[in-house]
Structure formats: C-alpha cells, structure tokens
Amino acid sequence: MNEVIVASAITKKFDGKTVLSQVSLAVKKGEILSIIGPSGAGKTTLLRILATLEMQDAGTLLFAGNELRNEETRMQVRRKLGYVGQHAVMLSGTVYDNIALPLRVRGMGGMEIERRVRRVAEMLGISGILEKNARKISGGEAQRTAFARAIVGEPEILFLDEFCANLDYRNIAVLERHVKEFSAHGGTVVLVSHNIFQVRRLAHRCAILVDGRIIACDSLAALEHADNDFVRGFVEGDIPW
C-alpha cells in the first residue's frame, strides 16, 4: 500500500513542556492505524497534527508525498480529511444543517447537498431526526451526526479520537461497521482509542505512544510477540492504559 501520510521527527511543546518528541510515523492508504498509549502520552496532539488541525514545532508532515509548508497547502489538504472527536460538537441549527455544513462551505449546489446529506443520514440511521434541533438530540445521535458530517464530503482519510466513548453497544456497532466499510472502499483511518477490544476489531496496525515517543508500530499479532516486555504487556492488557 502507498503511504498517504508521512510524519518525520515531529516535535510539539505546550507551555515549555514537550508533548511529542521526534515522532516519525507513516500511514498507508486503505489501512486503519490505531494510536494507543497511556493517558497523557500525546495521542490526541499527534492525531490533530496528522489531521492538520495543529501545527508541529519541528519536523515535517507529507501528504501524498507533498510537504505541508504553509496554511494554504494545509487548507487544501484539509478538504480531503474528516475528523470526529470524543465529544460531538453540535452547531446551532438542525441535524441536517450540521451535516450539510462542510458542503455549503465548499459552495456545493443545493441538490447535491440534499443527495449527499440524505444518503449518509440513511447509512447511519438518522434520517428521522434531520429536522431536529441538533443541540437537543441524544449523545448517540449526536455522535452519529458528527460522523455523518465527517464523511459527507467523501474524505480520503478519517481521523477518529475516542469516537465511541460513552456510547452504548448499538451505537458503537453502527459506527464501527461504517469505519470498516470506509476502509474496505479504499479510505484510510487513523484512530485513537483506549479500548483494546475496539482496536482488535478495527486496526490493521497499532502505534504505541508513550511519553511523547512511539516505541513500537506493527500489527497487534506482531506486537503480542515483541521482544519488549512492556509492549507485550501493554497490548495484552497486563499493563493498564
């Protein structure tokens, strides 16, 4: 598989504290890559940098072989990405308005917006709430709405940050099924998760981030047989996340 994102020696500091140190990582087209690690390891920061939502202090980030040198190139790439966070942020207006927003920003025509919004709403089982106030729907409905908003623009890469946290099994199953389908159709997924069972269900490879550094990156099967005791214990659940 071709590498669609290549991060090299990424470093990031907040208030003088190093959060990421010399992180290098390649993401392959069509794969689901999970970033796992203890709380405070820098997973969300790394995800946001890969998604061009945060700027690294040092290091380079390539998208499809092209370096993202300035905000203009980052904005061009951002249109090809979708992002879903742990807490679904619903903007004012209806569920329909929330899903349609990325398409309206791009200046897409009304009939095409209608077609795309209703298609993803049907996929995610939220067709019946499109006219509801988005800030008055349930947590599961809000998370599915956020997911619909992320995929309605037909992105090449999805970035998911604990996107199933606090959801019931039914909603988790719906979202995980669509993540798998997105990958099966050639889409690339970068996923942050604390749930080893979800990682086992979804991820092709896992990058373990500890204290701002990647200590291993491979399939779970390979990591379970790694020479490093910490790596084995971490993916087997012997070491708490």
Side-chain angles (χ1 to χ4, degrees):
M1 290 184 287
N2 296 328
E3 295 172 341
V4 291
I5 298 177
V6 178
S8 301
I10 297 294
T11 296
K12 182 68 177 179
K13 295 182 179 181
F14 289 113
D15 299 324
K17 179 183 177 182
T18 300
V19 178
L20 297 173
S21 179
Q22 298 288 308
V23 171
S24 295
L25 183 68
V27 185
K28 301 173 184 177
K29 179 176 175 57
E31 79 168 335
I32 301 175
L33 174 72
S34 182
I35 302 171
I36 61 177
S39 296
K43 300 185 296 298
T44 292
T45 299
L46 177 57
L47 190 75
R48 288 180 59 81
I49 289 173
L50 296 177
T52 75
L53 299 176
E54 196 87 50
M55 186 70 183
Q56 69 271 21
D57 296 325
T60 59
L61 185 63
L62 304 180
F63 182 89
N66 299 309
E67 185 173 353
L68 306 186
R69 296 178 178 273
N70 52 49
E71 187 58 24
E72 182 180 353
T73 58
R74 295 165 70 84
M75 284 296 294
Q76 291 172 354
V77 166
R78 207 167 287 153
R79 290 174 177 267
K80 302 177 182 179
L81 313 178
Y83 188 97
V84 183
Q86 178 175 352
H87 303 291
V89 176
M90 293 291 101
L91 306 176
S92 60
T94 64
V95 169
Y96 184 102
D97 292 332
N98 270 260
I99 299 172
L101 179 63
L103 306 180
R104 288 172 174 162
V105 169
R106 297 179 191 182
M108 192 171 288
M111 290 183 64
E112 180 64 10
I113 290 176
E114 177 88 8
R115 184 188 71 80
R116 290 198 185 196
V117 170
R118 296 204 176 276
R119 179 176 63 83
V120 297
E122 178 69 25
M123 284 170 50
L124 292 161
I126 52 175
S127 296
I129 63 167
L130 285 175
E131 302 309 318
K132 286 189 176 182
N133 185 327
R135 291 181 172 172
K136 294 184 178 180
I137 58 179
S138 70
E141 290 170 338
Q143 203 68 2
R144 280 186 281 166
T145 299
F147 193 90
R149 186 171 57 200
I151 66 172
V152 72
E154 299 179 356
E156 296 177 17
I157 306 176
L158 270 180
F159 295 89
L160 308 174
D161 188 5
E162 301 285 3
F163 75 117
C164 287
N166 304 314
L167 296 183
D168 60 28
Y169 177 77
R170 183 177 65 87
N171 280 296
I172 291 172
V174 168
L175 293 181
E176 286 186 356
R177 182 175 73 251
H178 288 291
V179 169
K180 289 179 180 178
E181 289 177 359
F182 180 82
S183 173
H185 287 90
T188 304
V189 181
V190 185
L191 164 72
V192 166
S193 179
H194 273 93
N195 186 333
I196 188 62
F197 301 106
Q198 181 175 74
V199 172
R200 290 184 186 281
R201 289 192 296 268
L202 296 179
H204 300 123
R205 288 192 304 145
C206 297
I208 302 178
L209 189 68
V210 178
D211 294 331
R213 294 177 180 272
I214 290 180
I215 64 169
C217 185
D218 212 327
S219 67
L220 269 178
L223 294 176
E224 287 171 346
H225 295 90
D227 293 335
N228 187 306
D229 290 342
F230 179 88
V231 169
R232 288 200 315 276
F234 194 80
V235 298
E236 291 172 356
D238 296 333
I239 297 174
W241 290 29

